[in-house]
Amino acid sequence: MKIAFVGKGGSGKTTLSSLFIRHLAANEAHVVAVDADINQHLGAALGLDEEESAALPAMGAQLPLIKEYLRGSNPRIASAETMIKTTPPGEGSRLLRVCEDNPIFDACARTVRLDDGDIRLMATGPFTESDLGVACYHSKVGAVELCLNHLVDGPDEYVVVDMTAGSDSFASGMFTRFDMTFLIAEPTRKGVSVYRQYKEYARDFGVDLKVVGNKVQGEDDLEFLRDEVGEDLLVTVGHSDWVRAMEKGRPARFELLEADNRMALQALQNAAEDSYERRDWVRYTRQMVHFHLRNAESWGNEKTGADLAAQVDPAFVLDERRVRTEAAQPA
C-alpha cells in the first residue's frame, strides 16, 4: 500500500508517520519510508542522530540514475533526459517493488534498524543554500513521484510518505499516487483548514482521505473535530509520554507506547488494508497519464524539446500482474 501523511506545519504528521512506520515494522510488514517534506525530520523521528540524518542520500541528486533505470527498454522514451516527474511506465519500463534490491534503492535508500524490525528510508534531500531564490522544491520531490509512478506493491508491503506541509502537494499529481491519505489535524480552526483544502482539491480524483485528530485533550476537542470533518474522522491521538521522550532523543522501546495510541495506529493499518481492497489500477494509470499530459503541455515539452505525449503507452495498465511478467527483466 502507498500511504501519505499530510497536514499543516506543526500538526504532528512527521511524528505520527514515524509511529505508523514503527507499528508496521512491529507487525512484520515490509516498509519503505520516504521523507518528502521540505523540512527533513523523518530520519530523526525514526531514531537517527543528526550525523546519520545528514548522511541520507538525496533522491533529487540521483534523478539521472532513477530515470535511466526506470526507462528500461521502453521504446516510447527516446532518452532518459526526456523523462519528467510525471512520465508514466509502458511496455519495457522497469518497475519497482518494495522487497527487491535494485540500483535505485542502492543509491537512495538506507536501512534503519527499529526495535522490532528494519525498514528502508529514502529522502528527497534538504532545500540547500544554492536552491534559495532559484529553485522550486517540487523539482526535488519529482524523484519521489517518478518512483511512485513505477511502483508495484502488494499486501503487507508499504510505502509511507511524509509529505510536504500544507496544500503544496497539489502542485503536482502526486496526491493521487496513494491508496490512503492520512491528514493530521489539530482541534483548531487552522488545524482543519488544510483538511478543507485537501477535501476540495481531491474531490474529483477519488482520493481516499481519512483524518487523524492529533493533540486531542478532551471531549470538547473530539466534538469539534467531529463537527468539522464528519465521517472522515478516523481516530484521535492524545498526549504521549513515549513521544515526548522520543522527541528528547530518549525513547523507550516501542512496545511501551501507550495502549490507546497503539490501538490508534492499528486503526490506521486497518484503514490502509481496507483501501487496498478498493484499489483500481485502471483509474490509477488513467490519472497518471492525465497529469503527465497536463505537465507536458504546460512546461515539459518546452523544457525537453520533445513531444512528451508520445511517451504514453495507451495499452499499458500498471497492476500487480506486472510483478510476475516483468520479474525476469534484466537490470
Side-chain angles (χ1 to χ4, degrees):
M1 279 75 76
K2 294 174 281 289
I3 310 297
F5 278 79
V6 301
K8 78 174 185 66
S11 64
K13 67 178 181 61
T14 298
T15 297
L16 282 168
S17 62
S18 72
L19 291 177
F20 186 59
I21 291 163
R22 291 175 185 271
H23 171 80
L24 293 174
N27 285 350
E28 299 183 348
H30 302 285
V31 183
V32 174
V34 182
D35 192 344
D37 195 350
I38 190 170
N39 299 304
Q40 304 269 284
H41 295 313
L42 184 58
L46 290 170
L48 300 186
D49 60 30
E50 287 188 20
E51 184 177 347
E52 291 170 325
S53 295
L56 289 172
M59 293 180 70
Q62 299 294 334
L63 196 53
L65 179 152
I66 292 171
K67 289 179 177 180
E68 189 61 52
Y69 180 77
L70 296 178
R71 176 190 172 212
S73 60
N74 187 335
R76 295 177 178 271
I77 303 175
S79 68
E81 288 74 20
T82 64
M83 294 178 72
I84 62 175
K85 63 182 182 179
T86 55
T87 295
E91 291 297 333
S93 296
R94 290 194 182 99
L95 305 178
L96 300 176
R97 299 168 191 88
V98 170
C99 296
E100 70 177 358
D101 293 321
N102 60 56
I104 293 178
F105 287 160
D106 290 344
C108 301
R110 294 296 179 265
T111 298
V112 177
R113 301 192 182 282
L114 303 175
D115 290 345
D116 301 297
D118 297 346
I119 59 102
R120 278 172 166 158
L121 175 61
M122 306 171 75
T124 60
F127 205 59
T128 64
E129 184 176 347
S130 62
D131 295 322
L132 296 177
V134 297
C136 173
Y137 185 71
H138 300 111
S139 65
K140 292 181 176 293
V141 299
V144 180
E145 185 169 357
L146 194 57
C147 287
L148 291 175
N149 281 356
H150 290 74
L151 177 71
V152 181
D153 53 301
D156 296 321
E157 297 177 342
Y158 286 82
V159 176
V160 180
V161 183
D162 181 21
M163 299 282 279
T164 189
S167 56
D168 283 358
S169 305
F170 292 101
S172 73
M174 195 160 73
F175 73 97
T176 64
R177 303 296 82 205
F178 300 100
D179 297 295
M180 174 61 69
T181 297
F182 292 125
L183 189 144
I184 313 305
E186 300 168 85
T188 64
R189 286 188 296 177
K190 287 185 178 180
V192 299
S193 63
V194 173
Y195 159 76
R196 294 197 184 96
Q197 288 179 300
Y198 244 89
K199 186 75 170 178
E200 182 64 28
Y201 292 154
R203 190 181 308 278
D204 296 331
F205 294 95
V207 173
D208 213 338
L209 178 68
K210 291 296 181 183
V211 174
V212 180
N214 193 27
K215 306 177 186 177
V216 174
Q217 298 181 5
E219 189 63 30
D220 185 65
D221 286 348
L222 180 58
E223 287 302 319
F224 175 83
L225 287 172
R226 284 173 174 164
D227 290 343
E228 294 295 327
V229 309
E231 62 183 14
D232 286 337
L233 181 63
L234 175 65
V235 71
T236 62
V237 179
H239 173 77
S240 170
D241 290 332
W242 192 96
V243 168
R244 180 62 61 87
M246 180 267 288
E247 291 174 341
K248 293 177 180 177
R250 301 194 297 266
R253 287 191 59 82
F254 184 65
E255 64 189 18
L256 299 178
L257 181 71
E258 299 86 359
D260 54 346
N261 289 329
R262 292 293 294 266
M263 291 177 62
L265 295 173
Q266 185 60 52
L268 267 61
Q269 184 176 4
N270 293 343
E273 290 175 350
D274 289 344
S275 73
Y276 177 80
E277 299 300 324
R278 300 188 294 272
R279 175 178 285 184
D280 184 344
W281 284 107
V282 173
R283 183 183 71 184
Y284 186 84
T285 306
R286 185 174 65 247
Q287 290 175 343
M288 190 189 313
V289 169
H290 167 79
F291 281 103
H292 178 63
L293 294 177
R294 285 181 56 178
N295 278 268
E297 184 177 354
S298 64
W299 61 270
N301 290 343
E302 181 178 357
K303 180 177 180 179
T304 63
D307 177 13
L308 300 185
Q311 293 179 344
V312 176
D313 184 342
F316 184 89
V317 175
L318 185 69
D319 63 36
E320 289 167 76
R321 287 173 294 179
R322 299 283 173 182
V323 173
R324 297 189 296 273
T325 60
E326 302 287 337
Q329 184 169 271

